[in-house]
């Protein structure tokens, strides 16, 4: 009887172990069916918040122009108006290609075509104006410029003949000006809008230090724009 009971107990243990092994290996508990932390994390990522934004290069350039003008400078030039004399430029860039006296602008103008710059300076050699003809300016439209700077404090249309960086006569130009600080002003120069081109691209621009054009000896108040 004892041997019979032992046999029955051993049989019960074997059956129980087999059942446990079968359940443990069941596909219901397979890792493939268990949601992973990686999947959950990916599903919670915002769909569009991290998408790359399109750069407004024209706006960035105009902001750089404005920031430099507030320091009396044009972009890509380390010679500010007011605190620089023309000899400083010559010491680094050499002699200018030419120097022209421009009575209406109240000074001499030194042209550096290689650097796409023109410097206006007074009889004391102080630079009161820097003009930039940087090729980047050709991507800036009149409308975009007004959008960032607002309504101009100065607006004029003028006729243009041969001059710095002009090798032929053109119909004319429109100049819009803004005050950027207590000492400095900025002017943007565009071709005059036409019926076929109502939103022309910028030709050049300048930063002006009006006080540098004053001639007390000649009782000349200088220019404002």
């Amino acid at each position: 009887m004892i041997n019979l009971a032992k046999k029955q107990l051993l049989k019960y243990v074997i059956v129980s172990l087999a059942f446990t092994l079968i359940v443990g290996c069941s596909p219901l508990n397979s890792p493939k069916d268990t949601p992973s932390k990686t999947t959950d994390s990916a599903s919670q990522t915002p769909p569009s918040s991290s998408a790359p934004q399109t750069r407004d290069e024209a706006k960035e350039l105009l902001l750089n122009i404005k920031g430099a003008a507030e320091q009396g400078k044009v972009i890509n030039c380390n010679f500010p108006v007011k605190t620089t004399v023309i000899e400083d430029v010559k010491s680094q860039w050499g002699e200018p290609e030419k120097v022209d006296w421009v009575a209406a602008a109240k000074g001499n103008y030194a042209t550096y075509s290689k650097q796409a710059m023109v410097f206006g300076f007074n009889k004391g050699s102080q630079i009161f104006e820097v003009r930039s003809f940087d090729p980047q300016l050709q991507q800036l439209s009149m409308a975009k410029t007004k959008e960032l700077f607002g309504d101009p404090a100065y607006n004029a249309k003028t006729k243009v003949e041969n001059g710095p960086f002009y090798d032929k006569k053109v119909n004319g130009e429109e100049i819009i000006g803004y005050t950027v600080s207590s000492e400095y002003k900025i002017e943007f120069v565009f071709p005059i809008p036409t019926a076929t081109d109502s939103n022309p691209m910028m030709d050049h621009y300048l930063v002006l230090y009006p006080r540098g054009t004053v001639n007390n000896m000649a009782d000349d108040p200088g220019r404002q724009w």
Side-chain angles (χ1 to χ4, degrees), residues 9-22:
L9 178 61
L10 180 60
K11 182 178 180 181
Y12 176 77
V13 170
I14 292 172
V15 171
S16 297
L17 289 172
F19 180 78
T20 301
L21 290 172
I22 291 171

Side-chain angles (χ1 to χ4, degrees), residues 11-147:
K11 182 178 180 181
Y12 176 77
V13 170
I14 292 172
V15 171
S16 297
L17 289 172
F19 180 78
T20 301
L21 290 172
I22 291 171
V23 173
C25 295
S26 172
L28 295 176
N29 291 326
S30 171
K32 293 182 180 180
D33 296 324
T34 303
S36 66
K37 293 182 178 179
T38 303
T39 304
D40 289 341
S41 175
S43 65
Q44 296 174 4
T45 302
S48 61
S49 61
S50 59
Q53 301 296 319
T54 302
R55 290 178 57 193
D56 189 340
E57 295 184 1
K59 181 179 179 180
E60 290 180 9
L61 179 55
L62 285 167
L63 287 173
N64 288 337
I65 287 172
K66 184 177 181 180
E70 291 170 349
Q71 302 175 47
K73 297 180 179 180
V74 298
I75 56 171
N76 302 323
C77 180
N78 292 322
F79 301 112
V81 296
K82 182 184 176 181
T83 58
T84 309
V85 293
I86 193 62
E87 285 74 21
D88 296 331
V89 181
K90 292 179 180 180
S91 67
Q92 294 191 37
W93 291 358
E95 292 293 325
E97 292 177 22
K98 61 176 182 175
V99 177
D100 299 302
W101 165 256
V102 182
K106 309 289 185 180
N108 286 295
Y109 281 76
T111 300
Y112 286 86
S113 298
K114 184 178 180 180
Q115 290 81 9
M117 298 284 173
V118 176
F119 298 93
F121 59 97
N122 57 32
K123 293 182 178 180
S125 294
Q126 179 189 41
I127 292 176
F128 61 79
E129 180 183 332
V130 182
R131 297 186 186 187
S132 173
F133 292 78
D134 193 305
Q136 294 181 85
L137 303 176
Q138 296 173 11
Q139 65 178 294
L140 302 176
S141 69
M142 181 182 289
K144 188 70 175 181
T145 304
K146 289 182 178 180
E147 177 186 322

